[in-house]
C-alpha cells in the first residue's frame, strides 16, 4: 500500500487513471490543508494549556509535558535543565550547530560516568523535519531514563547517547511555515531550492541508489558526503564512542517499521539473522504490551533502496552490528503525525520496545 498526495488540479484525473488501470484506492484525506489547519489548532491549544501549567510551576522544566509537540528552543531548555538537576546521571554537550546556528545537543546518560564498563546505545531523531513524533519519542526516552531512573535499572545497565533533534532548522521551519518540509535548510549553490536530505548524506556508499541529484528533490543527497553540519554532528559523536556502541537506533516516522541494513540495495547484512531476531524481540514486546504491530525487516527489501542513510553508515563505517531505523506510528487519516494528545501513547509504545533492545544488549555484550 502507498499513500499519495495530489494537487487540486489532479483531483479528477488521478482517480480516473487509477480506475483505468484497475488499481484499487481509498480516499483517506479529501483536503490535506484542512488537516494541517486542525493540527495547528490542536497544537496551539495544547501548547497554551501546557504554558499555563508551566507558569504555575516554580521549576518550569523540572518535568516534561508531552501534551504537545515541542519546538527547538523548548527542547534545548529542557535538556539543559535536566543536566543541571541530574549532574550525576546526565552530561550535556553541543554536538554541533545547524546551518542556521542552532545548537544540536547530545545527552549522555550513565550511572557510572561512561567508564567503559557498560555497552553503549546511540539514538538520534529528527533528521527529517516533518516527522514530529521522532524528537518527542527521543525526549520521552530521556525523560524516563533521567527523571524516573529508579524504575529503569534494566535500561541503565547500558550507557545512552541521545541526540533528540538532529535537524532543528528544518523542524522549526515545519512549525513556522511549511509543514511537509523534510530536508535541512542549507543553501544549495546554483539553485533556489534549499536543503539536503540528511538521510541520504552519510558517506557509506553515498549516492548508490534511491537518491536524487536535483536540489529541489526531497531526497537530494547533497553536493558531497557529510556536507550538512547536522550530519557531521551525528558522525562526530558516533565516531567518539564507536568502539563501545552495540546498538544504533534512528527515530523516524511513519509506518510501524523496525528496519535494518542494508538500505543502499536489496542486499542482506551478514548479521541479518541477529538483526531480525533482536528486532522481533522489540516488536513482540510492543505487540504484547500495547497491541501495536511493528514489522521487522531489511529496509531496501521491505520498502525501497536508499543509500547514504545513517543505519547503513553505523553498520558499514563502524561495524555496529545492531543498527535500525525506527519508523514510528503515523497519523493515518488524521495527518502525517498523530494529534498531540497521542504523543504519550506512541512514545510509550516504542519505549517498551527499547526496553527489550536494552535488555538484549546488556545481556549479550
Amino acid at each position: 500500500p502507498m499513500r499519495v498526495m495530489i494537487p487540486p488540479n489532479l483531483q479528477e484525473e488521478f482517480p480516473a487513471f487509477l480506475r483505468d488501470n484497475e488499481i484499487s484506492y481509498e480516499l483517506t484525506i479529501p483536503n490535506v490543508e484542512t488537516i494541517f489547519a486542525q493540527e495547528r489548532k490542536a497544537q496551539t491549544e495544547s501548547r497554551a494549556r501546557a504554558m499555563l501549567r508551566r507558569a504555575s510551576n516554580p521549576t518550569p522544566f523540572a518535568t516534561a509535558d508531552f501534551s504537545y509537540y515541542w519546538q527547538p528552543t523548548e527542547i534545548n531548555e529542557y535538556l539543559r535543565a535536566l543536566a543541571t538537576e541530574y549532574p550525576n546521571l546526565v552530561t550535556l554537550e553541543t554536538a554541533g550547530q545547524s546551518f542556521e546556528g542552532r545548537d544540536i545537543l547530545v545527552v549522555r546518560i550513565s550511572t557510572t560516568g561512561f567508564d567503559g564498563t557498560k555497552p553503549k546505545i546511540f539514538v538520534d531523531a529528527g533528521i527529517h523535519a516533518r516527522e514530529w513524533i521522532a524528537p518527542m519519542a527521543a525526549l520521552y526516552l530521556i525523560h524516563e531514563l533521567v527523571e524516573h531512573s529508579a524504575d529503569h535499572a534494566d535500561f541503565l545497565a547500558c550507557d545512552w547517547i541521545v541526540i533528540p533533534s538532529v535537524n532543528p532548522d528544518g523542524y522549526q521551519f515545519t512549525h513556522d511555515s511549511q509543514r511537509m518540509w523534510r530536508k535541512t535548510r542549507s543553501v544549495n549553490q546554483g539553485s533556489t531550492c534549499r536543503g539536503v536530505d540528511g538521510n541520504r548524506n552519510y558517506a557509506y556508499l553515498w549516492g548508490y541508489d534511491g537518491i536524487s541529484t536535483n536540489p529541489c528533490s526531497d531526497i537530494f543527497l547533497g553536493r558531497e558526503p557529510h556536507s550538512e553540519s547536522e550530519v557531521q554532528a551525528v558522525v562526530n559523536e558516533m565516531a567518539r564512542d564507536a568502539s563501545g556502541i552495540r546498538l544504533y537506533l534512528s527515530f523516524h516516522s511513519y509506518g510501524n517499521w523496525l528496519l535494518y541494513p542494508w538500505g543502499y540495495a536489496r542486499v542482506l547484512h551478514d548479521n541479518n539473522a541477529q538483526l531480525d531476531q533482536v528486532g522481533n524481540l522489540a516488536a513482540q514486546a510492543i505487540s504484547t504490551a500495547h497491541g501495536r504491530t511493528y514489522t521487522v525487516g531489511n529496509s531496501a527489501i521491505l520498502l525501497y533502496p536508499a543509500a547514504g542513510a545513517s543505519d547503513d553508515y553505523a553498520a558499514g563505517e563502524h561495524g555496529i552490528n545492531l543498527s535500525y531505523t525506527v519508523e514510528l506510528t503515523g497519523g493515518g487519516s488524521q495527518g502525517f503525525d498523530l494529534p498531540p494528545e497521542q504523543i504519550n501513547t506512541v512514545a510509550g509504545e516504542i519505549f517498551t520496545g527499547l526496553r527489550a533492545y536494552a535488555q538484549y544488549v546488556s545481556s549479550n555484550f
Side-chain angles (χ1 to χ4, degrees), residues 217-235:
S217 169
D218 267 354
I219 56 171
F220 176 50
L221 79 170
R223 302 298 185 189
E224 59 185 8
H226 304 170
S227 62
E228 303 309 282
S229 58
E230 295 83 359
V231 170
Q232 292 169 24
V234 177
V235 165

Side-chain angles (χ1 to χ4, degrees), residues 29 55 76 97 135 154 204 214 252 257 272 274 288 300 317 339-340 363:
I29 303 177
N76 287 356
Q97 287 197 319
D154 48 356
Y204 189 76
N214 179 359
H252 291 253
W257 303 94
N272 179 72
Q274 187 186 33
T288 299
E317 180 68 20
S363 299

Side-chain angles (χ1 to χ4, degrees), residues 133 136-138 140-141 144 155 251 255-258 279 281-294 326-330 338 341-357:
I133 190 61
M136 298 308 298
Y140 186 96
L141 166 66
E144 287 293 328
F155 276 89
F251 289 0
N256 294 7
W257 303 94
L258 301 176
L281 288 174
Q284 185 59 52
I286 296 169
S287 177
T288 299
H290 306 286
R292 180 86 69 189
T293 299
Y294 272 76
V326 178
E327 293 283 357
L328 297 161
T329 302
L338 286 161
E341 61 266 22
Q342 296 190 46
I343 294 171
N344 269 298
T345 298
V346 175
E349 288 170 355
I350 199 60
F351 188 75
T352 297
L354 295 176
R355 187 182 299 278
Y357 272 127

Side-chain angles (χ1 to χ4, degrees), residues 58-213:
T59 54
F61 280 93
T63 190
D65 187 331
F66 292 99
S67 65
Y68 70 103
Y69 291 101
W70 302 5
Q71 297 192 25
T73 299
E74 295 168 294
I75 291 172
N76 287 356
E77 285 179 359
Y78 175 67
L79 299 179
R80 291 186 174 108
L82 281 186
T84 299
E85 291 189 34
Y86 299 91
N88 295 326
L89 186 58
V90 176
T91 302
L92 185 68
E93 298 173 352
T94 302
Q97 287 197 319
S98 67
F99 176 80
E100 294 177 347
R102 293 180 173 90
D103 286 341
I104 300 170
L105 300 182
V106 54
V107 183
R108 302 167 68 83
I109 303 169
S110 175
T111 58
T112 56
F114 280 82
D115 62 2
T117 61
K118 297 179 182 179
K120 299 171 184 175
I121 298 175
F122 192 110
V123 179
D124 66 49
I127 187 62
H128 286 152
R130 64 191 177 199
E131 299 169 6
W132 286 5
I133 190 61
M136 298 308 298
L139 289 163
Y140 186 96
L141 166 66
I142 294 167
H143 158 72
E144 287 293 328
L145 295 191
V146 176
E147 298 194 57
H148 302 291
S149 58
D151 299 331
H152 304 307
D154 48 356
F155 276 89
L156 293 169
C158 303
D159 289 339
W160 293 79
I161 304 156
V162 187
I163 306 179
S165 183
V166 176
N167 178 15
D169 296 349
Y171 184 56
Q172 187 66 60
F173 190 65
T174 62
H175 282 270
D176 294 342
S177 182
Q178 190 173 329
R179 176 62 180 87
M180 291 296 286
W181 187 261
R182 168 183 166 101
K183 300 185 289 182
T184 63
R185 291 293 297 159
S186 57
V187 171
N188 294 310
Q189 290 187 356
S191 174
T192 58
C193 295
R194 295 184 64 168
V196 166
D197 182 347
N199 213 37
R200 300 294 187 276
N201 193 236
Y202 287 85
Y204 189 76
L205 292 177
W206 177 77
Y208 189 89
D209 198 2
I211 53 85
S212 174
T213 57

